[in-house]
């Protein structure tokens, strides 16, 4: 049985934990190690364990096959920095203060790594941070993180060897995905104290824009035509203003660097030679072809998706390196491995790349977990889970009771096959990164929404526009059914649920987005049981 610490233990042990210069609290049983592998912009539909039609991910599949695949994991705010802040704090963006990229994360607030330190864990974060360089990552005994987004080759890292804020800049030569994995492996083998349980956040830049493949994968898919999504040429006739006015299309938005018509500026001479040998012949053919219209869009899609998938192939290989080491060292027996990404991504769906919208492709996150003795191999969860649940899950694994101000729920019961009776039936989302009369990244309008197992309601509140989708009949969200008579009851109940969740989560009014007095329209009907699990409440 895992030891449980009450919430007051945080205050009791705050003066004793390694983070505050003292010793660790004793534990009664061996605590599991935690490895959290995180990528940036990895869509679940680019993973073969999720049924990808365009690539294979054998090492990620291995986590799914030996553990659990979560089919309905959703982010609270589909953008890089805010997602990371939600994961650290277990709180929505409006509560942790990081609403949009460019904000500065408040590292003084309570996070799950700090609580794990209280529970006697040694903690480390290696790779992408993206929460600002104004202060070092707090709650970690060791950190080595990229500066800002970081480049795909030859990164500069900020190393904090003792977790005390004294950082040094380290320059590396090579492919960033490999380098981050090398550093994680070094810490696992030699950098940690083997007498303590550990928590390692091992976070890649890939496959973030501008999708630069590693040298071993520059020619992958050269002779392959990747299938196009059915809605590559979507005209957005079934949606409102926001879909029409975005700036994230493959047709119009991609830059010459995105398309590898010019090389990245951070390659050294040897790397540039290899790079040009891979891209220059194809670029020459492209310029001579003088493609126009749909033919040009199709060429851009192929260039983009192949580079994106090449980046994922390197991630998959490096995940395999870590899994092999855990097995060979015997650490697998008492280590939970979790894989996720900060949000999903558009892979030509609707003609787009990037994320931000609450539409499925970018709202949905991959989530895999392997935990021998706790998770049945090959199991699948269809419950509505979220990145806001991650912090409480890690705290639960470590043996702590969760602080009351965290807004998620531990996934441990679901992992162990017992979904709580009060599990959520609806999930709340809100995106903030848009300013009126300004050029904002990708021009996605502010919106909030709620999703159930079948329906999704989205409110573009500064536009005064609503969209409603029946995901059972329209899984690609091509036609909003808002204001259609047959969905009147569903629409009313979802509006009630949206406002109920906003009130429960204490979401502040954002340009009139939150109703202070939601109408009493009744609760959503109970969800039908699945896989012999108990019915969750609304």
């Amino acid at each position: 049985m895992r030891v449980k610490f009450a919430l007051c233990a945080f205050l009791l042990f705050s003066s004793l934990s390694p983070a505050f210069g003292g010793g660790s609290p004793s534990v009664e049983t061996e605590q599991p190690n935690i490895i959290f592998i995180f990528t940036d912009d990895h869509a679940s539909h680019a993973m073969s364990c999720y049924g990808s039609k365009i690539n294979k991910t054998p090492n990620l599949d291995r986590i799914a096959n030996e553990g659990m695949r979560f089919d309905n994991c959703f982010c609270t705010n589909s953008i890089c920095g805010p997602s990371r802040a939600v994961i650290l704090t277990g709180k929505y963006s409006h509560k942790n203060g990081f609403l949009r990229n460019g904000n500065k994360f408040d590292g003084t607030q309570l996070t799950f790594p700090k609580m794990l330190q209280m529970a006697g864990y040694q903690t480390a974060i290696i790779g992408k941070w993206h929460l600002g360089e104004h202060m070092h990552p707090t709650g970690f005994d060791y950190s080595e993180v990229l500066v800002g987004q970081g480049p795909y080759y030859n990164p500069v890292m900020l190393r904090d060897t003792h977790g005390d804020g004294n950082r040094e800049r380290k320059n590396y030569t090579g492919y960033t995905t490999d380098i981050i994995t090398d550093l994680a492996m070094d810490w696992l083998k030699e950098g940690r104290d083997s007498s303590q349980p550990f928590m390692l956040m091992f976070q890649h830049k890939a496959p973030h824009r501008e999708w630069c493949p590693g040298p071993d994968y520059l020619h992958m898919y050269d002779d392959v035509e990747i299938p196009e999504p059915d809605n590559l040429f979507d005209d957005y006739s079934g949606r409102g203003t926001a879909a029409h006015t975005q700036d994230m299309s493959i047709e119009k938005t991609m830059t010459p660097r995105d398309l590898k018509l010019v090389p990245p500026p951070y390659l050294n001479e040897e790397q540039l030679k290899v790079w040009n040998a891979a891209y220059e012949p194809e670029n020459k053919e492209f310029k001579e072809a003088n493609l126009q219209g749909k033919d040009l869009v199709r060429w851009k899609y192929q260039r983009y998706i192949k580079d994106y998938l090449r980046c994922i192939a390197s991630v998959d290989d490096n995940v395999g390196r870590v899994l092999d080491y855990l097995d060979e060292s015997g650490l697998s027996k008492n280590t939970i491995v979790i894989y996720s990404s900060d949000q999903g991504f558009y892979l030509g769906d609707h003609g787009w790349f990037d994320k931000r919208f609450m539409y499925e492709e970018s709202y949905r996150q991959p989530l895999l977990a392997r935990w021998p003795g706790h998770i049945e191999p090959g199991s699948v969860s269809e419950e509505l889970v979220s990145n806001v649940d991650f912090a409480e899950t890690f705290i639960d694994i470590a043996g702590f009771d969760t602080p009351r101000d965290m807004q998620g729920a531990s996934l441990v019961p679901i992992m162990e096959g017992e979904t709580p009776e009060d599990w959520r039936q609806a999930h709340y989302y809100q995106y903030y990164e848009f300013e009126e009369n300004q050029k904002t990244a990708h021009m996605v309008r502010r919106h909030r929404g709620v999703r159930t197992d079948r329906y999704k309601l989205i409110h573009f509140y500064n536009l005064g526009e609503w969209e409603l989708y029946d995901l059972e009949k329209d899984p690609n969200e091509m036609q909003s059914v808002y204001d259609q008579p047959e969905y009147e009851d569903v629409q009313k109940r979802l509006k009630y649920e949206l406002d109920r969740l906003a009130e429960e989560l204490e979401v502040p009014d954002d340009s009139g987005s939150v109703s202070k007095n939601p109408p009493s329209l009744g609760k959503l009907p109970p969800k039908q049981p699945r896989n012999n699990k108990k019915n969750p409440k609304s």
Side-chain angles (χ1 to χ4, degrees), residues 112 134 236 296 348 412 445:
F112 86 82
H134 57 290
Y236 319 120
L296 177 57
V412 169
R445 304 298 292 250

Side-chain angles (χ1 to χ4, degrees), residues 199-219:
M199 188 283 295
L200 170 63
M201 297 181 75
F202 158 41
Q203 308 195 144
H204 289 294
K205 171 191 174 65
H208 191 279
R209 189 183 187 185
E210 57 203 4
W211 319 294
C212 293
D216 295 337
Y217 286 102
L218 287 168
H219 294 282

Side-chain angles (χ1 to χ4, degrees), residues 383-517:
E383 304 301 337
L384 294 177
V385 305
S386 173
N387 58 348
V388 78
D389 300 324
F390 293 4
E392 296 194 38
T393 302
F394 296 134
I395 292 168
D396 192 8
I397 291 167
F400 255 116
D401 285 332
T402 306
R404 291 183 181 178
D405 63 347
M406 287 191 174
Q407 297 178 298
S410 172
L411 301 177
V412 169
I414 294 176
M415 291 176 179
E416 295 180 337
E418 295 291 338
T419 299
E421 292 184 2
D422 62 349
W423 195 259
R424 73 171 62 88
Q425 188 180 345
H427 181 256
Y428 181 87
Y429 175 90
Q430 189 151 355
Y431 173 80
Y432 298 89
E433 192 168 297
F434 182 87
E435 298 296 338
E436 295 289 348
N437 304 315
Q438 293 185 24
K439 178 68 174 177
T440 307
H442 298 295
M443 298 300 289
V444 173
R445 304 298 292 250
R446 293 189 181 200
H447 58 290
R448 67 180 188 131
V450 63
R451 188 198 193 278
T452 68
D453 58 351
R454 176 170 175 175
Y455 299 105
K456 182 188 296 180
L457 179 71
I458 305 174
H459 186 199
F460 294 95
Y461 45 86
N462 290 329
L463 294 170
E465 295 182 9
W466 295 83
E467 295 177 8
L468 174 65
Y469 296 96
D470 183 338
L471 300 171
E472 184 177 288
K473 295 182 177 180
D474 181 19
N476 294 324
E477 297 165 299
M478 298 296 290
Q479 179 64 58
S480 171
V481 293
Y482 188 81
D483 272 348
Q484 291 191 10
E486 61 266 40
Y487 289 95
E488 181 180 2
D489 186 53
V490 171
Q491 184 172 307
K492 287 180 179 179
R493 286 182 281 122
L494 285 176
K495 280 190 173 183
Y496 166 80
E497 190 69 4
L498 180 63
D499 284 336
R500 185 191 70 80
L501 285 172
E503 182 177 1
E504 177 183 300
L505 296 168
E506 299 179 334
V507 181
D509 189 350
D510 180 45
S511 298
S513 67
V514 179
S515 171
K516 295 181 180 179
N517 297 297

Side-chain angles (χ1 to χ4, degrees), residues 42 45-48 51-57 221 309 312-313:
H42 189 179
H45 54 306
M47 297 171 63
S48 42
S52 171
K53 299 177 181 179
I54 57 177
N55 70 324
K56 300 293 184 183
T57 50
Y221 304 113
L309 297 178
I312 290 172

Side-chain angles (χ1 to χ4, degrees), residues 234-269:
D234 191 350
D235 63 3
Y236 319 120
S237 58
R239 276 130 298 157
T241 302
H244 286 82
T245 58
Q246 48 65 39
D247 182 23
M248 47 191 272
S249 72
I250 290 174
E251 178 184 9
K252 298 178 180 178
T253 311
M254 286 188 162
T255 68
R257 272 184 61 179
D258 290 336
L259 296 168
K260 312 307 181 297
L261 298 174
V262 296
Y266 43 72
L267 300 178
N268 63 30
E269 184 176 351

Side-chain angles (χ1 to χ4, degrees), residues 20-284:
F20 294 87
S24 303
S26 60
V27 294
E28 297 174 3
T29 57
E30 186 179 7
Q31 295 162 289
N33 304 308
I34 301 168
I35 294 182
F36 179 57
I37 307 174
F38 203 52
T39 47
D40 196 315
D41 295 344
H42 189 179
S44 57
H45 54 306
M47 297 171 63
S48 42
C49 56
Y50 279 100
S52 171
K53 299 177 181 179
I54 57 177
N55 70 324
K56 300 293 184 183
T57 50
N59 291 297
L60 295 173
D61 295 357
R62 181 174 160 192
I63 301 175
N65 294 336
E66 297 173 0
M68 177 174 282
R69 186 187 77 221
F70 290 83
D71 280 358
N72 288 308
C73 182
F74 300 103
C75 59
T76 61
N77 184 355
S78 183
I79 188 168
C80 307
S83 179
R84 294 161 196 272
V86 168
I87 289 169
L88 286 170
T89 62
K91 300 176 185 178
Y92 272 76
S93 300
H94 65 277
K95 286 287 190 179
N96 65 49
F98 202 104
L99 280 74
R100 53 184 296 169
N101 284 344
N103 290 157
K104 293 182 178 180
F105 182 67
D106 177 11
T108 66
Q109 62 188 304
L110 181 62
T111 61
F112 86 82
K114 292 179 182 179
M115 293 196 69
L116 263 57
Q117 287 181 322
M118 307 299 167
Y121 276 72
Q122 190 174 22
T123 60
I125 182 167
I126 296 170
K128 186 168 181 178
W129 173 243
H130 202 206
L131 292 173
E133 280 73 62
H134 57 290
M135 63 187 302
H136 69 290
T138 57
F140 298 97
D141 299 297
Y142 179 92
S143 66
E144 188 155 3
V145 298
L146 294 170
V147 177
Q149 287 281 0
Y152 268 99
Y153 284 77
N154 310 325
V156 176
M157 309 280 284
L158 295 176
R159 178 188 290 179
D160 184 351
T161 305
H162 304 293
D164 56 7
N166 292 317
R167 293 179 286 180
E168 58 177 327
R169 295 174 71 90
K170 302 288 292 185
N171 295 281
Y172 292 95
T173 300
Y175 190 56
T176 300
T177 302
D178 297 333
I179 289 167
I180 289 172
T181 307
D182 290 343
L183 294 172
M185 294 282 282
D186 288 345
W187 187 84
L188 285 171
K189 293 178 179 179
E190 301 174 1
R192 64 186 179 88
D193 181 349
S194 60
S195 67
Q196 290 181 260
F198 66 83
M199 188 283 295
L200 170 63
M201 297 181 75
F202 158 41
Q203 308 195 144
H204 289 294
K205 171 191 174 65
H208 191 279
R209 189 183 187 185
E210 57 203 4
W211 319 294
C212 293
D216 295 337
Y217 286 102
L218 287 168
H219 294 282
M220 190 178 192
Y221 304 113
D222 271 2
D223 300 319
V224 176
E225 183 169 328
I226 306 296
E228 297 173 358
D230 293 338
N231 53 9
L232 177 63
F233 296 101
D234 191 350
D235 63 3
Y236 319 120
S237 58
R239 276 130 298 157
T241 302
H244 286 82
T245 58
Q246 48 65 39
D247 182 23
M248 47 191 272
S249 72
I250 290 174
E251 178 184 9
K252 298 178 180 178
T253 311
M254 286 188 162
T255 68
R257 272 184 61 179
D258 290 336
L259 296 168
K260 312 307 181 297
L261 298 174
V262 296
Y266 43 72
L267 300 178
N268 63 30
E269 184 176 351
E270 181 180 352
Q271 293 163 347
L272 181 60
K273 181 178 179 181
V274 174
W275 182 276
N276 286 339
Y279 285 104
E280 282 189 344
E282 290 186 9
N283 289 347
K284 183 174 183 294

